[in-house]
């Protein structure tokens, strides 16, 4: 029955409404963005570039895409923008097609060290036939070891350096890698899926400004967009990128979500800086409080985090698997996460959890709420109260945070459906 679907959505919304959402790759969109989802744009095709479409009927879609491109150029101060990749992995695949040939060697960050699966052999990089070599990585600073990378690069001569991660606590050494790449005539791409909103909000350095040739990113993690992606680049690789996207890896580019993205860019231009600053402040506060409560928060010597994320080693509580399940039972939603020393096979129960505060920040939470969240986590993991009791308190706590902030018209977090 079709009503089963709406019932499932309703129950999902009830669950989310009364929980604390801390998945680092997710966020909420404003009602303005969500309204675009319901438009007729979602039934149409607009293959090709603005003004050069293959089908008739694209006049107003052109207006939207053209405006979205212009605003994106303004927001990131870049030469070239392609807004057609429908997801981050698709954007990465396009970048690999544009910048490499099968058989080329590329550097990427391994998954346990925070890299994304699409940078690895079993996903997009492998599908392009690339030979993937992992960067030497320093666990204490949770960052690439530049001098070891330089040595190894001279030996293996990569054609592409892939930067950016899914577990990304600190600024990565883009300038240093660009310098190494220039000597080898190699390209540098930065996958900013996680930190795009922080770059837009000027709390994380813009990798293109630091010399990267290409930036790929999904638009829905720290950025205010719906689920899709973009590629920013220098003019010199623009043609290759555009061809790799279409006709390469995208046909229809989901025009209802493109319209929503255009609104999200406007929100970022207006509210992005305040949002990004509060997000990083919140992450630091939560990290410090968890540390004070005795948790092994990574990156201690470096201030725990410069992004929306925190990583915690929870082996003493049974590992990331049981911890994520226990927290879910009290309404705290986050993910288990591999940490650098974990073998890739240990995904079922890795050492860590990853926490992201970008969504609760969008809901208006500030430092005081971060302290409360750390206390809820602590109560659950140290069995200070029954799980049912904590679940009730979490729902009560969440009652005051039911609207999406940092937008032109503050709106209920779960409306329209
Ligand atoms: C989330 C993520 C992606 C994938 O994005 P999708 O939009 O889910 O395809 C790619 N790269 C990194 C670094 C990510 O964190």
């Amino acid at each position: 029955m079709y009503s089963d679907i709406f019932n499932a959505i309703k129950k999902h919304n009830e669950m989310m409404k009364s929980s604390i959402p801390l998945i680092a790759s997710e966020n909420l969109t404003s009602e303005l963005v969500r309204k675009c989802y319901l438009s007729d744009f979602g039934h149409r095709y607009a293959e090709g570039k603005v003004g050069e479409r293959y089908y008739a009927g694209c006049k107003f879609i052109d207006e939207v895409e053209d405006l979205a491109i212009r605003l994106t150029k303004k927001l990131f101060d870049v030469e070239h923008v392609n807004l057609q990749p429908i997801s981050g992995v698709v954007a990465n695949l396009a970048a690999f097609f544009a910048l490499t040939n099968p058989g080329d060697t590329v550097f990427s960050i391994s998954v346990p060290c925070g890299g994304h699966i699409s940078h690895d052999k079993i996903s997009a990089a492998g599908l392009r036939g690339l030979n993937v070599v992992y960067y030497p990585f320093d666990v204490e600073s949770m960052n690439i070891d530049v001098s070891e990378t330089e040595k190894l690069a001279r030996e293996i001569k990569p054609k592409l350096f892939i930067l950016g991660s899914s577990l990304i606590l600190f600024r990565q050494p883009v300038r240093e890698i660009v310098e190494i790449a220039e000597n080898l005539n190699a390209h540098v791409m930065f996958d900013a899926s996680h930190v795009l909103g922080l770059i837009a909000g000027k709390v994380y350095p813009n990798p293109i400004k630091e010399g990267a040739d290409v930036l790929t990113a999904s638009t829905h993690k720290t950025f205010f967009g719906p689920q899709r992606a973009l590629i920013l680049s220098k003019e010199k690789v623009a043609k290759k990128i555009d061809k790799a996207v279409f006709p390469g890896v995208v046909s229809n580019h989901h025009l209802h979500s493109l319209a929503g993205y255009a609104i999200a860019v406007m929100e970022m231009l207006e509210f992005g800086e305040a949002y990004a600053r509060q997000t990083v402040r919140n992450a630091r506060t939560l990290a410090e409080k968890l540390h004070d409560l005795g948790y092994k928060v990574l990156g201690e010597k470096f201030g725990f985090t410069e992004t929306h994320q925190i990583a915690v080693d929870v082996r003493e509580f049974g590992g990331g698997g049981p911890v994520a399940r226990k927290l879910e039972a009290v309404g705290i939603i986050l993910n288990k996460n591999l940490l650098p020393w974990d073998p890739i096979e240990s995904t079922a129960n890795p050492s860590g959890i990853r926490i992201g505060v970008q969504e609760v920040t969008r809901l208006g939470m500030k430092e005081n709420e971060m302290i409360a969240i750390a206390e809820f986590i602590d109560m659950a993991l140290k069995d200070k109260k029954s799980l049912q009791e904590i679940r009730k308190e979490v729902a009560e706590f969440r009652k005051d945070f039911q609207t999406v902030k940092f937008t032109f018209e503050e709106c209920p977090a779960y409306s329209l459906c």
Side-chain angles (χ1 to χ4, degrees):
M1 268 299 284
Y2 69 83
S3 59
D4 294 347
I5 302 299
F6 289 102
N7 281 335
I9 292 173
K10 190 161 170 254
K11 283 189 275 183
H12 171 84
N13 285 355
E14 291 303 324
M15 172 183 80
M16 294 309 293
K17 246 184 216 177
S18 61
S19 300
I20 300 173
L22 297 173
I23 303 275
S25 55
E26 299 178 353
N27 212 328
L28 285 158
T29 49
S30 66
E31 207 171 80
L32 298 173
V33 169
R34 273 178 271 146
K35 274 182 186 161
C36 297
Y37 260 66
L38 306 175
S39 76
D40 182 64
F41 274 31
H43 308 132
R44 305 300 154 200
Y45 268 79
E47 285 177 337
K49 293 186 185 176
V50 174
E52 304 167 27
R53 307 292 193 186
Y54 287 79
Y55 296 171
C58 296
K59 202 155 88 183
F60 300 107
I61 292 165
D62 275 4
E63 269 180 28
V64 168
E65 188 161 345
D66 180 54
L67 179 58
I69 290 171
R70 283 190 283 120
L71 292 176
T72 305
K73 279 187 179 164
K74 182 172 165 201
L75 181 59
F76 293 104
D77 193 16
V78 287
E79 292 168 358
H80 186 70
V81 170
N82 188 312
L83 298 178
Q84 299 187 347
I86 54 168
S87 83
V89 172
V90 169
N92 285 343
L93 195 54
F96 297 153
F97 273 98
L99 302 175
T100 64
N101 289 305
D104 284 353
T105 294
V106 300
F107 257 129
S108 73
I109 299 171
S110 74
V111 171
C113 293
H116 190 258
I117 197 80
S118 60
H119 307 168
D120 214 326
K121 284 188 253 306
I122 62 163
S123 179
L127 287 180
R128 179 54 173 162
L130 301 175
N131 172 34
V132 176
V133 175
Y134 302 128
Y135 289 99
F137 197 84
D138 177 56
V139 176
E140 204 175 5
S141 59
M142 284 301 281
N143 222 323
I144 291 164
D145 183 330
V146 174
S147 61
E148 288 301 313
T149 297
E150 185 166 19
K151 278 185 222 158
L152 188 56
R154 264 187 253 133
E155 204 178 301
I156 63 165
K157 296 193 175 42
K159 289 279 167 33
L160 174 67
F161 291 79
I162 306 166
L163 294 168
S165 314
S166 298
L167 176 60
I168 181 163
L169 302 175
F170 300 108
R171 297 172 176 200
Q172 293 182 351
V174 178
R175 283 183 204 282
E176 291 85 344
I177 296 295
V178 166
E179 212 178 296
I180 298 170
E182 275 170 357
N183 291 330
L184 295 164
N185 221 353
H187 286 296
V188 175
M189 78 175 243
F190 190 100
D191 180 346
S193 291
H194 266 277
V195 290
L196 190 69
L198 305 182
I199 295 168
K202 300 192 166 56
V203 301
Y204 194 95
N206 184 334
I208 298 280
K209 296 264 163 223
E210 295 189 296
D213 302 296
V214 169
L215 179 150
T216 58
S218 46
T219 52
H220 48 265
K221 296 181 182 178
T222 52
F223 203 85
F224 293 162
Q227 294 186 330
R228 59 186 296 112
L230 52 70
I231 305 182
L232 313 179
S233 68
K234 295 192 174 148
E235 198 55 49
K236 64 177 184 189
V237 291
K239 279 212 175 80
K240 282 189 184 169
I241 293 285
D242 287 350
K243 261 177 63 185
V245 174
F246 177 80
V249 295
V250 172
S251 163
N252 178 14
H253 60 291
H254 300 183
L255 306 162
H256 55 321
S257 112
L258 174 71
Y261 167 81
I263 305 261
V265 180
M266 294 173 194
E267 292 172 335
M268 272 287 159
L269 280 162
E270 187 77 19
F271 309 102
E273 290 186 29
Y275 170 72
R277 280 197 300 270
Q278 188 63 50
T279 299
V280 176
R281 275 205 295 269
N282 283 352
R284 288 234 172 95
T285 305
L286 181 52
E288 280 160 16
K289 182 68 186 174
L290 285 171
H291 176 74
D292 290 347
L293 290 166
Y295 292 87
K296 291 192 176 122
V297 185
L298 271 64
E300 186 185 345
K301 283 201 184 142
F302 300 83
F304 303 114
T305 182
E306 295 176 320
T307 68
H308 59 303
Q309 295 186 2
I310 304 163
V312 189
D313 175 357
V314 291
R315 280 177 290 184
E316 65 200 284
F317 297 93
V323 164
R325 279 195 296 278
K326 193 168 188 189
L327 292 177
E328 184 181 25
V330 301
I332 295 173
I333 300 176
L334 48 69
N335 66 278
K336 59 189 172 186
N337 216 89
L338 293 169
L339 295 179
W341 52 82
D342 286 326
I344 188 105
E345 299 78 32
S346 63
T347 44
N349 189 19
S351 299
I353 52 170
R354 183 183 66 168
I355 302 175
V357 300
Q358 71 297 331
E359 185 169 346
V360 290
T361 306
R362 190 95 204 261
L363 286 163
M365 294 192 195
K366 297 197 172 122
E367 287 87 334
N368 283 344
E369 285 74 39
M370 298 305 115
I371 289 167
I373 291 173
E375 284 165 349
F376 283 131
I377 292 173
D378 191 52
M379 268 186 235
L381 296 188
K382 295 186 187 153
D383 299 308
K384 292 183 170 171
K385 288 182 188 168
S386 77
L387 297 183
Q388 285 117 304
E389 231 174 310
I390 306 169
R391 180 72 190 89
K392 273 204 200 119
E393 287 182 26
V394 164
E396 194 55 38
F397 164 82
R398 181 62 206 272
K399 280 198 176 135
D400 293 336
F401 301 94
Q402 294 294 328
T403 50
V404 176
K405 314 283 185 190
F406 303 99
T407 178
F408 301 103
E409 299 169 17
E410 280 184 19
C411 53
Y414 307 89
S415 59
L416 301 183
C417 186

